[in-house]
């Protein structure tokens, strides 16, 4: 059961990875990266609970909180670059 | 009973993940994708973490931190991404 569950999560993770590889628009890429970040951190938490290992779980929670903050900062930087550049960076 | 409930929560979370991630491949606008993805990601991840919490209640502080981080940070990230993408589209 655990294996099937983990396989399902992995298959679900492949969709945003494909989207991040395929998309040209920077916001679609950011969206896909945000999704990858949430999904990987939840997978790390699942692995930590199944293995009963606190240390892996702490890493998962750190990815969850710090990754979100980093993506917010990155979104603001990209927006500012779009404003500064006349032609617009990344389309 | 608790074991069954925990697996049920995790499967529901996985269904939410697939449901919200699938439109990412479609031709819809960024804001539509952002909405479905953030709602489904947050709800699905909360369901999965709740399932883990039922499985091993010993790791309550860590999983509670993950739940709070998901509910607050991910929602704010959704708003920030929508705000940045909207300004970029208007230009």
């Amino acid at each position: 059961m655990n294996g099937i569950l983990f396989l399902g999560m992995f298959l679900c993770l492949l969709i945003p990875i494909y989207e991040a590889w395929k998309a040209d628009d920077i916001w679609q890429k950011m969206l896909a990266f945000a999704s990858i970040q949430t999904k990987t951190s939840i997978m790390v938490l699942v692995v930590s609970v199944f293995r009963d290992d606190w240390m892996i779980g702490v890493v998962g929670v750190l990815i969850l909180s710090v990754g979100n903050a980093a993506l917010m900062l990155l979104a603001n930087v990209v927006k500012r670059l779009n404003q500064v550049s006349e032609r617009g960076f990344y389309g | 009973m608790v074991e069954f409930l925990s697996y049920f929560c995790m499967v529901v979370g996985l269904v939410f993940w697939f449901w919200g991630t699938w439109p990412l491949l479609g031709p819809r606008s960024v804001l539509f994708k952002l909405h479905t993805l953030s709602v489904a990601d947050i709800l699905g991840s909360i369901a999965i973490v709740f399932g883990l919490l039922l499985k091993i209640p010993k790791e309550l502080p860590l999983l509670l931190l993950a739940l709070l981080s998901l509910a607050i940070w991910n929602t704010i990230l959704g708003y920030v991404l929508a705000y940045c993408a909207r300004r970029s589209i208007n230009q």
Side-chain angles (χ1 to χ4, degrees), chain B residues 34-56:
Chain B
L34 178 70
H35 179 69
T36 52
L37 191 67
S38 55
V39 169
D41 252 4
I42 294 169
L43 286 182
S45 303
I46 285 177
I48 291 175
V49 174
F50 188 71
L52 293 178
L53 198 60
L54 288 178
K55 202 171 174 63
I56 302 183

Side-chain angles (χ1 to χ4, degrees), chain A residues 1-2 5 8-9 12 16 18-19 25 27-28 31 35 38-39 45 49-50 52 61 68 72 79 83, chain B residues 7 10 14 17-18 21 24-25 30 33-34 37 41 55-56 58 66 73-74 77 83-84 88 91:
Chain A
M1 186 65 193
N2 295 353
L5 208 67
M9 287 180 177
C12 198
Y18 172 72
E19 174 73 13
D25 181 29
W27 296 112
Q28 304 239 8
L31 199 57
S35 176
T38 309
K39 286 183 171 59
L45 270 179
V49 169
F50 282 159
D52 202 8
V61 173
N68 276 334
M72 276 184 230
K79 189 185 81 158
Q83 284 174 351
Chain B
Y7 278 118
M10 283 193 239
L14 204 58
W17 270 17
F18 270 107
T21 316
L24 210 59
L25 298 173
V30 177
K33 289 178 183 177
L34 178 70
L37 191 67
D41 252 4
K55 202 171 174 63
I56 302 183
K58 192 187 67 185
W73 267 125
N74 262 25
L77 174 67
Y83 171 73
C84 293
S88 169
Q91 282 173 5

Side-chain angles (χ1 to χ4, degrees), chain B residues 85-91:
Chain B
R86 183 177 59 91
R87 283 300 167 91
S88 169
I89 289 167
N90 281 350
Q91 282 173 5

Side-chain angles (χ1 to χ4, degrees), chain A residues 21-39:
Chain A
W21 169 62
K22 193 194 70 172
D24 291 327
D25 181 29
I26 184 68
W27 296 112
Q28 304 239 8
K29 259 190 211 293
M30 292 276 296
L31 199 57
F33 282 135
S35 176
I36 291 170
Q37 178 251 326
T38 309
K39 286 183 171 59

